[in-house]
């Protein structure tokens, strides 16, 4: 590893440290000391963001696009160092860090292109009708940036959902300065990415308050950030418990603000009879691969497979168990996550009416695949089985019949994704399930697994609570920019005073 | 008055009553008894809405447009009865009720046309790229209705923001069934409009659960409605206190839901030097007219006029006082509103450093114009002066200089509107204020008054808290439909299973 973290916060263009520190806990290599953000430092960072808004919030889309592109370039210029420190801190393999870096720079460039097109501004013009009763004034509408945004780094995506990830990229694209609270599981990765953003700020001559990184391992730092009066919205990817606590703080502010939290999901799969009969074993293998990818540490991890009980389902379970049995233990993102995973697996294993099919041995910071089977009835009677266990854990739910399968679907909480495995002859069966699943999830899939989340125009990474705290928004894809915009109407405002983007419209 | 209210709730197509009743308190004519909604009746209404969603949420845009048009027709068929009962209950003049009826039917027809165009669906299609690494699946996105919506009637708009008002029209247009909690200030008006909607339901063959009206004078009814697990969003126009209480209930649910509250505003005006010099007296007259329209009972009522101290400002104040002095007392919407108005006026009059210019006499359910003047310094030192007093009350704030005027702008809470009165030579002055005001309000005006809210594509009736609880949404104009939609992504879903609107896109 050639990059050695200095352990400071980036605040308004300066690297700053406070007295209290915390230690990083890398999966490999040396721990480093990082300064823990005080309330004063967070206040400085947010005030710098507010100061930056008066220029950055009025910058041209071309300027912001160039800035986003430059951030992508600066990240690429630090590629090997980012991979080195990222793999050391998270225990994820180098290929994953490289892929995630491509996703991160791709996202930044996608938003650069997206704002240049301008459709996201949703510009509207109602021309004056002076002889109407009452007369209609000239009305122009445009989506404007909302002000400083707080973003929380995610434990499981050190790049794509962290310092320069989708929340930051979409907020910066909208014209909003960002204060990132780095995740303590990968503070060095956060720091080097912040170095890249600082280099882009300097190269593009952007106000340095446009981006700050504050580090911290305490809950207090996050609370101080989201309750700061100048913060206007929050982007968060993480656990239900942590996210709900921050959501509550946002709602209880003197001025409540939106909390865009993506909080997790069990991403149920429904394996329909014809698909089970024709491709059951292949689907079992694909499921095992998806379930164990990244040690199951994806919000789109397919934790539940619902199918119809019978010999074919037994064969499916056997094939899935075989495939999972071949996957050994692997290091997880943090010791806390590994501990929570093992605790969650034990709770499932101990639940009444649940049979353990696979239970790999693992210790310390490791997670090994686990597979369970139960009946539709048991699943319906025990709501705990429908809660996410973050890691490579699968439950096969054997429904007695189609009606019970539908009952399982109806009982689901909000999900990021729901998946159907189906053949053409399953269409009528699928037709009874799809309307139910559509109300449960932001994304519906057929014959695939949800763990690959395409970054594109049509992607939705969201869903009813608890999958997300705002079912109307998405944290992935170009629509993510809408979270950081608000419509403003200009009535008879002289053209010279209008924002440039709304001056010349039809 | 030819229509005599029966005092029942409309629930799933049936008129139903419970034992407990409350009395209406009309400004003129006979009070009537209305059934008070129990928790059981509210549960029935919401369950009927949920049942209706399975057909109505999947109806075609053409079907929903015909339904909206028919509601407008049925309201028109009851025009005279609606005006009669509306004027009696609210004390508003017949002309106002007639105008508001036109606004209401116009809104319904606007949403009918809007959904037929289909742009609101924001359809997106990322075609599959099989040879990409990893392969890109077929991804289609569309905005889908969210499920049953709760709507609260507003005291000050018995038609346009009540039973078949903008919230109901936009939710029905989106495909969401609606449960309306009628405002107890005009339950008979709510009832006859519900009769119109029921006639449209029967004529169009729509599931009768698509619309219910529950009446009630208690806080409990509203609380029971917004905390019902099957309600997915709330539309509300009303007071900060009542709205904030419902907002908190929505945020504290097991499944938090969005509360779209439009909570009021003082709608500050900034009178710039050249406009003051050239047109001060005309602006004073216009302001007085806007301030007293509808006895000042508009959320866009222009309660504060900020200008620069000096002889011209003194002349402006004199002209405004003269114009307001000519306006007598008038009956307000409810006794409670009249009492709160007089209390608010007394508090302003008693504040240190505030001079009373006009204080009309009024009693019981009346409100008379009141005008006060103070300095920028006093206004900045006393945040209470910036709070809304619902009624025809104006405060002239004499800023010492441009800097103090800007300080007043910076100190403002979120507003629905901010207005500049300016001449061409005020442009540079305006340029220093506009960015500040843009962050404070959903609509910015030049040389007009905010009390006329055009219903159109470019209108924004929203703003930072406390003007509204969702600065990203609007409750007036076609964009209002977005509140009741959520994006759903379909990945490789067979075309036969897709919602009709997303089957055939490029």
């Amino acid at each position: 590893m050639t990059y050695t973290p200095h352990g400071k916060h980036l605040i308004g263009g300066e690297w700053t440290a406070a007295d209290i520190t915390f230690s990083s806990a890398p999966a490999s290599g040396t721990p480093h000391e990082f300064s823990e953000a005080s309330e004063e430092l967070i206040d400085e960072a947010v005030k710098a963001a507010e100061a930056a808004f008066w220029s950055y919030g009025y910058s041209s889309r071309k300027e912001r696009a160039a800035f986003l592109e430059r951030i992508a370039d600066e990240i690429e210029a630090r590629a090997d160092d980012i991979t080195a420190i990222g793999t050391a801190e998270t225990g994820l393999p180098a290929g994953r860090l490289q892929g995630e870096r491509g996703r991160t720079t791709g996202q930044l460039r996608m938003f650069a292109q997206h704002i240049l097109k301008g459709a996201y501004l949703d510009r509207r013009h109602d021309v004056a009708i002076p002889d109407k009763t009452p007369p209609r004034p000239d009305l122009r509408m445009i989506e404007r940036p909302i002000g400083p945004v707080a973003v929380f780094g995610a434990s499981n995506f050190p790049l794509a959902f962290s310092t320069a990830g989708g929340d930051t990229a979409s907020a910066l694209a909208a014209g909003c300065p960002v204060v990132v609270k780095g995740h303590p599981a990968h503070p060095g990765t956060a720091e080097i990415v912040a170095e890249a953003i600082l280099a882009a700020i300097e190269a593009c001559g952007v106000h340095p308050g446009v981006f700050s990184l504050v580090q911290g391992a305490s809950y207090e730092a996050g609370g101080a950030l989201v309750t700061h009066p100048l913060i206007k919205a929050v982007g968060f990817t993480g656990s239900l418990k942590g996210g709900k606590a921050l959501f509550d703080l946002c709602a209880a502010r003197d001025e409540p603000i939106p909390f865009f939290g993506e909080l997790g999901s069990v991403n149920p799969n429904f394996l329909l009879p014809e698909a089970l009969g024709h491709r059951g074993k292949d689907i079992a293998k694909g499921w095992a691969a998806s379930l164990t990818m990244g040690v199951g540490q994806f919000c789109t991890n397919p934790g539940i497979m619902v199918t119809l009980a019978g010999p074919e389902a037994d064969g499916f379970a056997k094939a899935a168990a075989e495939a999972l049995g071949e996957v050994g233990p692997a290091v997880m993102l943090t010791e806390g996550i590994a501990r929570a995973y093992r605790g969650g697996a034990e709770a499932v294993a101990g639940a009444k009416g649940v049979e353990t099919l696979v239970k790999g041995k693992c210790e310390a910071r490791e997670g090994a695949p686990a597979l369970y089977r139960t009946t539709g009835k048991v699943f319906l009677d025990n709501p705990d089985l429908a809660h996410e266990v973050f890691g490579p854990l699968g439950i096969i739910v054997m429904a007695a019949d189609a009606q019970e399968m539908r009952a399982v679907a109806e009982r689901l909480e909000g999900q990021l994704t729901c998946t159907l495995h189906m053949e053409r002859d399953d269409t009528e069966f699928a037709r009874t399930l799809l309307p139910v699943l559509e109300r449960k999830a932001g994304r519906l899939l057929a014959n695939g697994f949800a763990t690959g989340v395409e970054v594109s125009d049509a992607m939705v990474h969201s869903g009813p609570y608890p999958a997300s705290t705002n079912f109307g928004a998405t944290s992935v894809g170009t629509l993510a920019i809408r979270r950081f915009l608000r419509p403003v109407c200009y009535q008879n405002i002289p053209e010279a005073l209008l924002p440039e983007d709304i001056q010349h419209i039809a």
Side-chain angles (χ1 to χ4, degrees), chain A residues 224-251:
Chain A
L225 181 56
V226 306
T227 55
H228 195 292
L230 293 172
I231 289 292
K232 296 304 172 195
V234 182
F236 175 93
T237 297
S239 72
L240 175 55
K241 194 182 152 199
K244 183 57 164 57
L246 293 170
F247 171 89
D248 288 343
L249 287 174
C250 288

PDB file of all heavy atoms in Angstrom, chain A residues 224-251:
ATOM      1  N   ALA A 224     -25.304  14.973  14.743  1.00  0.00           N
ATOM      2  CA  ALA A 224     -25.010  16.409  14.645  1.00  0.00           C
ATOM      3  C   ALA A 224     -25.132  16.879  13.194  1.00  0.00           C
ATOM      4  O   ALA A 224     -25.597  17.994  12.923  1.00  0.00           O
ATOM      5  CB  ALA A 224     -23.604  16.686  15.182  1.00  0.00           C
ATOM      6  N   LEU A 225     -24.737  16.024  12.276  1.00  0.00           N
ATOM      7  CA  LEU A 225     -24.796  16.408  10.861  1.00  0.00           C
ATOM      8  C   LEU A 225     -26.242  16.549  10.385  1.00  0.00           C
ATOM      9  O   LEU A 225     -26.608  17.569   9.788  1.00  0.00           O
ATOM     10  CB  LEU A 225     -24.033  15.377  10.025  1.00  0.00           C
ATOM     11  CG  LEU A 225     -23.955  15.622   8.526  1.00  0.00           C
ATOM     12  CD1 LEU A 225     -23.352  16.989   8.210  1.00  0.00           C
ATOM     13  CD2 LEU A 225     -23.133  14.524   7.843  1.00  0.00           C
ATOM     14  N   VAL A 226     -27.067  15.568  10.637  1.00  0.00           N
ATOM     15  CA  VAL A 226     -28.435  15.616  10.077  1.00  0.00           C
ATOM     16  C   VAL A 226     -29.321  16.634  10.798  1.00  0.00           C
ATOM     17  O   VAL A 226     -30.348  17.053  10.256  1.00  0.00           O
ATOM     18  CB  VAL A 226     -29.137  14.237  10.050  1.00  0.00           C
ATOM     19  CG1 VAL A 226     -28.280  13.209   9.319  1.00  0.00           C
ATOM     20  CG2 VAL A 226     -29.516  13.759  11.427  1.00  0.00           C
ATOM     21  N   THR A 227     -28.938  17.020  12.010  1.00  0.00           N
ATOM     22  CA  THR A 227     -29.763  18.015  12.719  1.00  0.00           C
ATOM     23  C   THR A 227     -29.233  19.430  12.526  1.00  0.00           C
ATOM     24  O   THR A 227     -29.808  20.374  13.073  1.00  0.00           O
ATOM     25  CB  THR A 227     -29.823  17.700  14.235  1.00  0.00           C
ATOM     26  OG1 THR A 227     -28.503  17.621  14.758  1.00  0.00           O
ATOM     27  CG2 THR A 227     -30.555  16.396  14.488  1.00  0.00           C
ATOM     28  N   HIS A 228     -28.174  19.591  11.760  1.00  0.00           N
ATOM     29  CA  HIS A 228     -27.673  20.950  11.515  1.00  0.00           C
ATOM     30  C   HIS A 228     -28.708  21.736  10.701  1.00  0.00           C
ATOM     31  O   HIS A 228     -29.133  21.270   9.640  1.00  0.00           O
ATOM     32  CB  HIS A 228     -26.343  20.899  10.771  1.00  0.00           C
ATOM     33  CG  HIS A 228     -25.615  22.204  10.818  1.00  0.00           C
ATOM     34  ND1 HIS A 228     -26.070  23.337  10.175  1.00  0.00           N
ATOM     35  CD2 HIS A 228     -24.485  22.574  11.467  1.00  0.00           C
ATOM     36  CE1 HIS A 228     -25.241  24.334  10.409  1.00  0.00           C
ATOM     37  NE2 HIS A 228     -24.268  23.903  11.196  1.00  0.00           N
ATOM     38  N   PRO A 229     -29.079  22.930  11.160  1.00  0.00           N
ATOM     39  CA  PRO A 229     -30.167  23.672  10.490  1.00  0.00           C
ATOM     40  C   PRO A 229     -29.906  23.976   9.014  1.00  0.00           C
ATOM     41  O   PRO A 229     -30.857  24.166   8.263  1.00  0.00           O
ATOM     42  CB  PRO A 229     -30.249  24.984  11.287  1.00  0.00           C
ATOM     43  CG  PRO A 229     -29.545  24.738  12.569  1.00  0.00           C
ATOM     44  CD  PRO A 229     -28.582  23.617  12.357  1.00  0.00           C
ATOM     45  N   LEU A 230     -28.648  24.022   8.597  1.00  0.00           N
ATOM     46  CA  LEU A 230     -28.372  24.378   7.201  1.00  0.00           C
ATOM     47  C   LEU A 230     -28.377  23.170   6.264  1.00  0.00           C
ATOM     48  O   LEU A 230     -28.320  23.333   5.045  1.00  0.00           O
ATOM     49  CB  LEU A 230     -27.028  25.113   7.098  1.00  0.00           C
ATOM     50  CG  LEU A 230     -26.994  26.495   7.767  1.00  0.00           C
ATOM     51  CD1 LEU A 230     -25.569  27.050   7.787  1.00  0.00           C
ATOM     52  CD2 LEU A 230     -27.923  27.475   7.045  1.00  0.00           C
ATOM     53  N   ILE A 231     -28.464  21.962   6.821  1.00  0.00           N
ATOM     54  CA  ILE A 231     -28.573  20.760   5.970  1.00  0.00           C
ATOM     55  C   ILE A 231     -30.025  20.645   5.495  1.00  0.00           C
ATOM     56  O   ILE A 231     -30.961  20.757   6.275  1.00  0.00           O
ATOM     57  CB  ILE A 231     -28.139  19.501   6.756  1.00  0.00           C
ATOM     58  CG1 ILE A 231     -26.622  19.514   6.970  1.00  0.00           C
ATOM     59  CG2 ILE A 231     -28.572  18.213   6.046  1.00  0.00           C
ATOM     60  CD1 ILE A 231     -25.785  19.335   5.715  1.00  0.00           C
ATOM     61  N   LYS A 232     -30.210  20.405   4.206  1.00  0.00           N
ATOM     62  CA  LYS A 232     -31.563  20.405   3.633  1.00  0.00           C
ATOM     63  C   LYS A 232     -32.072  19.022   3.218  1.00  0.00           C
ATOM     64  O   LYS A 232     -33.262  18.873   2.898  1.00  0.00           O
ATOM     65  CB  LYS A 232     -31.613  21.338   2.423  1.00  0.00           C
ATOM     66  CG  LYS A 232     -31.354  22.819   2.774  1.00  0.00           C
ATOM     67  CD  LYS A 232     -32.328  23.335   3.832  1.00  0.00           C
ATOM     68  CE  LYS A 232     -31.971  24.729   4.324  1.00  0.00           C
ATOM     69  NZ  LYS A 232     -32.684  25.082   5.563  1.00  0.00           N
ATOM     70  N   ALA A 233     -31.202  18.031   3.179  1.00  0.00           N
ATOM     71  CA  ALA A 233     -31.633  16.661   2.879  1.00  0.00           C
ATOM     72  C   ALA A 233     -30.474  15.731   3.201  1.00  0.00           C
ATOM     73  O   ALA A 233     -29.319  16.177   3.306  1.00  0.00           O
ATOM     74  CB  ALA A 233     -32.037  16.500   1.408  1.00  0.00           C
ATOM     75  N   VAL A 234     -30.803  14.442   3.347  1.00  0.00           N
ATOM     76  CA  VAL A 234     -29.800  13.448   3.711  1.00  0.00           C
ATOM     77  C   VAL A 234     -29.906  12.253   2.774  1.00  0.00           C
ATOM     78  O   VAL A 234     -31.011  11.774   2.495  1.00  0.00           O
ATOM     79  CB  VAL A 234     -30.007  12.958   5.166  1.00  0.00           C
ATOM     80  CG1 VAL A 234     -28.934  11.948   5.552  1.00  0.00           C
ATOM     81  CG2 VAL A 234     -30.023  14.131   6.143  1.00  0.00           C
ATOM     82  N   GLY A 235     -28.761  11.777   2.295  1.00  0.00           N
ATOM     83  CA  GLY A 235     -28.693  10.536   1.535  1.00  0.00           C
ATOM     84  C   GLY A 235     -27.974   9.481   2.364  1.00  0.00           C
ATOM     85  O   GLY A 235     -26.900   9.746   2.914  1.00  0.00           O
ATOM     86  N   PHE A 236     -28.566   8.310   2.475  1.00  0.00           N
ATOM     87  CA  PHE A 236     -28.051   7.289   3.389  1.00  0.00           C
ATOM     88  C   PHE A 236     -28.299   5.914   2.800  1.00  0.00           C
ATOM     89  O   PHE A 236     -29.389   5.634   2.302  1.00  0.00           O
ATOM     90  CB  PHE A 236     -28.778   7.427   4.741  1.00  0.00           C
ATOM     91  CG  PHE A 236     -28.445   6.351   5.756  1.00  0.00           C
ATOM     92  CD1 PHE A 236     -27.427   6.550   6.685  1.00  0.00           C
ATOM     93  CD2 PHE A 236     -29.149   5.152   5.803  1.00  0.00           C
ATOM     94  CE1 PHE A 236     -27.117   5.571   7.635  1.00  0.00           C
ATOM     95  CE2 PHE A 236     -28.843   4.170   6.745  1.00  0.00           C
ATOM     96  CZ  PHE A 236     -27.828   4.386   7.661  1.00  0.00           C
ATOM     97  N   THR A 237     -27.301   5.033   2.889  1.00  0.00           N
ATOM     98  CA  THR A 237     -27.482   3.613   2.594  1.00  0.00           C
ATOM     99  C   THR A 237     -26.930   2.852   3.773  1.00  0.00           C
ATOM    100  O   THR A 237     -25.763   3.036   4.120  1.00  0.00           O
ATOM    101  CB  THR A 237     -26.719   3.213   1.313  1.00  0.00           C
ATOM    102  OG1 THR A 237     -27.271   3.933   0.214  1.00  0.00           O
ATOM    103  CG2 THR A 237     -26.847   1.722   1.039  1.00  0.00           C
ATOM    104  N   GLY A 238     -27.736   2.033   4.407  1.00  0.00           N
ATOM    105  CA  GLY A 238     -27.230   1.317   5.574  1.00  0.00           C
ATOM    106  C   GLY A 238     -28.301   0.508   6.256  1.00  0.00           C
ATOM    107  O   GLY A 238     -29.301   0.135   5.638  1.00  0.00           O
ATOM    108  N   SER A 239     -28.098   0.270   7.535  1.00  0.00           N
ATOM    109  CA  SER A 239     -28.981  -0.637   8.260  1.00  0.00           C
ATOM    110  C   SER A 239     -30.298   0.040   8.611  1.00  0.00           C
ATOM    111  O   SER A 239     -30.396   1.263   8.722  1.00  0.00           O
ATOM    112  CB  SER A 239     -28.308  -1.099   9.545  1.00  0.00           C
ATOM    113  OG  SER A 239     -28.256  -0.032  10.477  1.00  0.00           O
ATOM    114  N   LEU A 240     -31.321  -0.793   8.811  1.00  0.00           N
ATOM    115  CA  LEU A 240     -32.630  -0.284   9.228  1.00  0.00           C
ATOM    116  C   LEU A 240     -32.520   0.451  10.554  1.00  0.00           C
ATOM    117  O   LEU A 240     -33.070   1.545  10.728  1.00  0.00           O
ATOM    118  CB  LEU A 240     -33.598  -1.477   9.349  1.00  0.00           C
ATOM    119  CG  LEU A 240     -34.998  -1.197   9.884  1.00  0.00           C
ATOM    120  CD1 LEU A 240     -35.695  -0.117   9.065  1.00  0.00           C
ATOM    121  CD2 LEU A 240     -35.842  -2.475   9.878  1.00  0.00           C
ATOM    122  N   LYS A 241     -31.760  -0.117  11.494  1.00  0.00           N
ATOM    123  CA  LYS A 241     -31.671   0.480  12.817  1.00  0.00           C
ATOM    124  C   LYS A 241     -31.010   1.859  12.759  1.00  0.00           C
ATOM    125  O   LYS A 241     -31.547   2.848  13.270  1.00  0.00           O
ATOM    126  CB  LYS A 241     -30.874  -0.460  13.733  1.00  0.00           C
ATOM    127  CG  LYS A 241     -31.001  -0.116  15.199  1.00  0.00           C
ATOM    128  CD  LYS A 241     -30.143  -1.060  16.043  1.00  0.00           C
ATOM    129  CE  LYS A 241     -29.718  -0.350  17.321  1.00  0.00           C
ATOM    130  NZ  LYS A 241     -28.568  -1.006  17.954  1.00  0.00           N
ATOM    131  N   GLY A 242     -29.848   1.914  12.119  1.00  0.00           N
ATOM    132  CA  GLY A 242     -29.137   3.197  12.032  1.00  0.00           C
ATOM    133  C   GLY A 242     -29.919   4.209  11.216  1.00  0.00           C
ATOM    134  O   GLY A 242     -30.017   5.392  11.584  1.00  0.00           O
ATOM    135  N   GLY A 243     -30.482   3.736  10.109  1.00  0.00           N
ATOM    136  CA  GLY A 243     -31.213   4.655   9.240  1.00  0.00           C
ATOM    137  C   GLY A 243     -32.470   5.187   9.901  1.00  0.00           C
ATOM    138  O   GLY A 243     -32.790   6.371   9.803  1.00  0.00           O
ATOM    139  N   LYS A 244     -33.180   4.311  10.610  1.00  0.00           N
ATOM    140  CA  LYS A 244     -34.416   4.765  11.259  1.00  0.00           C
ATOM    141  C   LYS A 244     -34.103   5.820  12.326  1.00  0.00           C
ATOM    142  O   LYS A 244     -34.857   6.789  12.498  1.00  0.00           O
ATOM    143  CB  LYS A 244     -35.138   3.564  11.870  1.00  0.00           C
ATOM    144  CG  LYS A 244     -36.482   3.896  12.518  1.00  0.00           C
ATOM    145  CD  LYS A 244     -37.436   4.567  11.514  1.00  0.00           C
ATOM    146  CE  LYS A 244     -38.883   4.569  11.972  1.00  0.00           C
ATOM    147  NZ  LYS A 244     -39.120   5.209  13.246  1.00  0.00           N
ATOM    148  N   ALA A 245     -32.988   5.644  13.042  1.00  0.00           N
ATOM    149  CA  ALA A 245     -32.615   6.628  14.070  1.00  0.00           C
ATOM    150  C   ALA A 245     -32.358   7.996  13.422  1.00  0.00           C
ATOM    151  O   ALA A 245     -32.800   9.040  13.935  1.00  0.00           O
ATOM    152  CB  ALA A 245     -31.371   6.143  14.817  1.00  0.00           C
ATOM    153  N   LEU A 246     -31.684   8.000  12.283  1.00  0.00           N
ATOM    154  CA  LEU A 246     -31.415   9.273  11.594  1.00  0.00           C
ATOM    155  C   LEU A 246     -32.689   9.857  10.980  1.00  0.00           C
ATOM    156  O   LEU A 246     -32.907  11.072  10.991  1.00  0.00           O
ATOM    157  CB  LEU A 246     -30.344   9.068  10.512  1.00  0.00           C
ATOM    158  CG  LEU A 246     -28.942   8.726  11.035  1.00  0.00           C
ATOM    159  CD1 LEU A 246     -28.035   8.315   9.881  1.00  0.00           C
ATOM    160  CD2 LEU A 246     -28.327   9.910  11.787  1.00  0.00           C
ATOM    161  N   PHE A 247     -33.525   8.982  10.422  1.00  0.00           N
ATOM    162  CA  PHE A 247     -34.824   9.418   9.900  1.00  0.00           C
ATOM    163  C   PHE A 247     -35.614  10.148  10.987  1.00  0.00           C
ATOM    164  O   PHE A 247     -36.176  11.232  10.756  1.00  0.00           O
ATOM    165  CB  PHE A 247     -35.619   8.197   9.402  1.00  0.00           C
ATOM    166  CG  PHE A 247     -37.050   8.490   9.034  1.00  0.00           C
ATOM    167  CD1 PHE A 247     -37.379   8.893   7.752  1.00  0.00           C
ATOM    168  CD2 PHE A 247     -38.072   8.356   9.969  1.00  0.00           C
ATOM    169  CE1 PHE A 247     -38.698   9.164   7.411  1.00  0.00           C
ATOM    170  CE2 PHE A 247     -39.390   8.636   9.639  1.00  0.00           C
ATOM    171  CZ  PHE A 247     -39.711   9.035   8.359  1.00  0.00           C
ATOM    172  N   ASP A 248     -35.648   9.552  12.178  1.00  0.00           N
ATOM    173  CA  ASP A 248     -36.402  10.163  13.277  1.00  0.00           C
ATOM    174  C   ASP A 248     -35.816  11.530  13.646  1.00  0.00           C
ATOM    175  O   ASP A 248     -36.568  12.471  13.936  1.00  0.00           O
ATOM    176  CB  ASP A 248     -36.406   9.234  14.504  1.00  0.00           C
ATOM    177  CG  ASP A 248     -37.296   8.005  14.298  1.00  0.00           C
ATOM    178  OD1 ASP A 248     -38.131   8.027  13.372  1.00  0.00           O
ATOM    179  OD2 ASP A 248     -37.146   7.032  15.048  1.00  0.00           O
ATOM    180  N   LEU A 249     -34.499  11.633  13.643  1.00  0.00           N
ATOM    181  CA  LEU A 249     -33.877  12.933  13.938  1.00  0.00           C
ATOM    182  C   LEU A 249     -34.278  13.975  12.880  1.00  0.00           C
ATOM    183  O   LEU A 249     -34.555  15.127  13.204  1.00  0.00           O
ATOM    184  CB  LEU A 249     -32.347  12.801  13.977  1.00  0.00           C
ATOM    185  CG  LEU A 249     -31.747  12.090  15.192  1.00  0.00           C
ATOM    186  CD1 LEU A 249     -30.242  11.919  15.014  1.00  0.00           C
ATOM    187  CD2 LEU A 249     -32.045  12.883  16.478  1.00  0.00           C
ATOM    188  N   CYS A 250     -34.317  13.566  11.627  1.00  0.00           N
ATOM    189  CA  CYS A 250     -34.679  14.499  10.542  1.00  0.00           C
ATOM    190  C   CYS A 250     -36.133  14.964  10.683  1.00  0.00           C
ATOM    191  O   CYS A 250     -36.443  16.132  10.443  1.00  0.00           O
ATOM    192  CB  CYS A 250     -34.484  13.835   9.176  1.00  0.00           C
ATOM    193  SG  CYS A 250     -32.757  13.625   8.746  1.00  0.00           S
ATOM    194  N   ALA A 251     -37.018  14.034  11.055  1.00  0.00           N
ATOM    195  CA  ALA A 251     -38.436  14.377  11.173  1.00  0.00           C
ATOM    196  C   ALA A 251     -38.690  15.253  12.392  1.00  0.00           C
ATOM    197  O   ALA A 251     -39.640  16.037  12.408  1.00  0.00           O
ATOM    198  CB  ALA A 251     -39.277  13.098  11.253  1.00  0.00           C
TER     199      ALA A 251
END
